[in-house]
Amino acid sequence: MNLATLEGVSTEELTKAWNRCWEGYPYATKFREHQMEAWIEKCKIDLAHSMSLKDNGEIVGFSFLAVDGLEGWVAGACIDPLYRGNNLFTDLFRKQLEKAQELDMVKVTLEVLENNHAIRVYSKLGFQIQRELLLFRYKGEDLSLKPRKKGVFLRKVSLDEYFLARNVGGFKPPWQRRESYLRSFAPLEAWLNNDGSSGALFLGPGELLLDAWVSNWQEAEKLISWILSFSKGDLNLLNQPKDYLTAYLTQQGLSPTDIQYEMIAYLPVIES
Ligand SMILES: CC(C)(COP(=O)(O)OP(=O)(O)OC[C@H]1O[C@@H](n2cnc3c(N)ncnc32)[C@H](O)[C@@H]1OP(=O)(O)O)[C@@H](O)C(=O)NCCC(=O)NCCS
């Protein structure tokens, strides 16, 4: 058994390893090769600084390190089901953090489902829970909440206008809601209310909600209503920090379908 970076590993091999090692995860995580390529590109994964665990040359566990300046994000970490429960994840992830330090990274962020035992490893290696991120995944037919008929209006705006309003509104995005990450998708449709105090971003016309935020309580009901009418009653609000939107949904009796922890480790500087 040995640890090695993923530098030079083919997309085919990465895809096979990913599909094998994520087995048993509560959400569908299977990738095809073109999806793996897109994931690596959009997340800016640095394969030369991402670690794998190999047994007889075969990848049996790995982690992906995405890089944004001096900050890192774990874009996936997993162990082959046949090799789990032997503390291998701890060894792999310790090495992953050392690799991040080689890039002079100051902090690494990740998200983990609240009931995933990987949290034990992350905590042991210095990660601390920063905040909860809530997931609401509801199909229209399962949702008692219905869009209001009147009085809800958002206008389509440029991405520059959208992100400026979001920054001014004080929204602190989790990693996959960062401006640079969201801008890597196309076609994007950005919407703001009249005074720029709430907004939503869709991939394609109403197909997939990528981002939603409000900066005051009055807008929460209106924005949820607008999203529901735009997405034909479905609600797919992922990785939402606790805010007016999540408070409104909870008030309406809607529980999050899952909770993730956003965890952060601050890395010590290596003296050269
Ligand atoms: C989560 C995962 C990476 C853990 O891999 P692993 O090789 O089994 O982990 P380890 O053997 O190093 O054990 C990690 C910790 O979890 C504990 N643990 C392992 N299996 C467990 C289980 N089935 N139930 C409860 N705790 C468990 C271990 O005791 C250890 O804790 P400790 O260090 O305090 O003793 C692996 O289960 C996996 O790949 N799951 C699917 C993908 C996934 O969830 N990735 C993490 C996303 S954030």
Side-chain angles (χ1 to χ4, degrees), residues 121-191:
V121 175
Y122 300 144
S123 303
K124 208 163 47 181
L125 296 178
F127 283 81
Q128 292 192 337
I129 295 173
Q130 187 77 1
R131 56 182 172 172
E132 288 184 354
L133 300 174
L134 310 187
L135 289 81
F136 294 85
R137 292 178 200 253
Y138 284 96
K139 282 262 153 232
E141 59 265 28
D142 303 327
L143 202 60
S144 53
L145 207 58
K146 299 293 171 211
R148 280 190 348 191
K149 295 268 180 292
K150 285 187 191 156
V152 181
F153 176 76
L154 277 86
R155 64 201 161 91
K156 208 165 167 182
V157 295
S158 69
L159 290 180
D160 286 349
E161 198 179 343
Y162 178 81
F163 285 113
L164 178 65
R166 194 180 75 154
N167 288 342
V168 172
F171 183 72
K172 301 260 178 305
W175 194 278
Q176 284 171 287
R177 307 266 291 268
R178 286 183 172 201
E179 181 175 343
S180 57
Y181 179 76
L182 290 175
R183 277 184 185 266
S184 70
F185 290 87
L188 289 174
E189 285 201 356
W191 300 82

Side-chain angles (χ1 to χ4, degrees), residues 1 22 24 33-34 45 56 64 68 80 82 87 163 166 177 185-186 208 212 227 246 260-261 269 271:
M1 201 83 73
W22 277 92
E33 281 183 38
H34 71 276
I45 293 167
N56 283 327
F64 274 157
D68 186 0
D80 184 315
L82 294 176
N87 280 320
F163 285 113
R166 194 180 75 154
R177 307 266 291 268
F185 290 87
L208 186 64
I227 288 170
T246 63
Q260 298 214 87
Y261 293 136
V269 178
E271 299 294 338

Side-chain angles (χ1 to χ4, degrees), residues 1-6 9 13 52-61:
M1 201 83 73
N2 68 303
L3 290 160
T5 74
L6 289 170
V9 176
E13 194 180 346
S52 71
L53 183 70
K54 289 187 169 179
D55 188 18
N56 283 327
E58 189 184 36
I59 297 175
V60 296

Side-chain angles (χ1 to χ4, degrees), residues 21-23 25 77-79 83-90 111-112 116-118 120-122 124:
C21 293
W22 277 92
E23 214 137 283
Y25 195 70
C78 48
I79 296 283
Y83 291 77
R84 289 179 193 165
N86 296 304
N87 280 320
L88 293 175
F89 189 53
T90 315
E111 291 100 36
V112 54
N116 191 321
H117 50 261
R120 296 170 69 95
V121 175
Y122 300 144
K124 208 163 47 181

Side-chain angles (χ1 to χ4, degrees), residues 20-71:
R20 207 174 46 246
C21 293
W22 277 92
E23 214 137 283
Y25 195 70
Y27 290 111
T29 46
K30 290 258 189 269
F31 270 162
R32 291 171 187 269
E33 281 183 38
H34 71 276
Q35 292 167 316
M36 174 59 71
E37 261 170 28
W39 183 244
I40 292 170
E41 190 203 314
K42 285 186 192 312
C43 297
K44 299 202 209 99
I45 293 167
D46 180 346
L47 291 178
H49 291 85
S50 296
M51 290 308 301
S52 71
L53 183 70
K54 289 187 169 179
D55 188 18
N56 283 327
E58 189 184 36
I59 297 175
V60 296
F62 64 93
S63 56
F64 274 157
L65 183 69
V67 178
D68 186 0
L70 294 183
E71 293 185 30

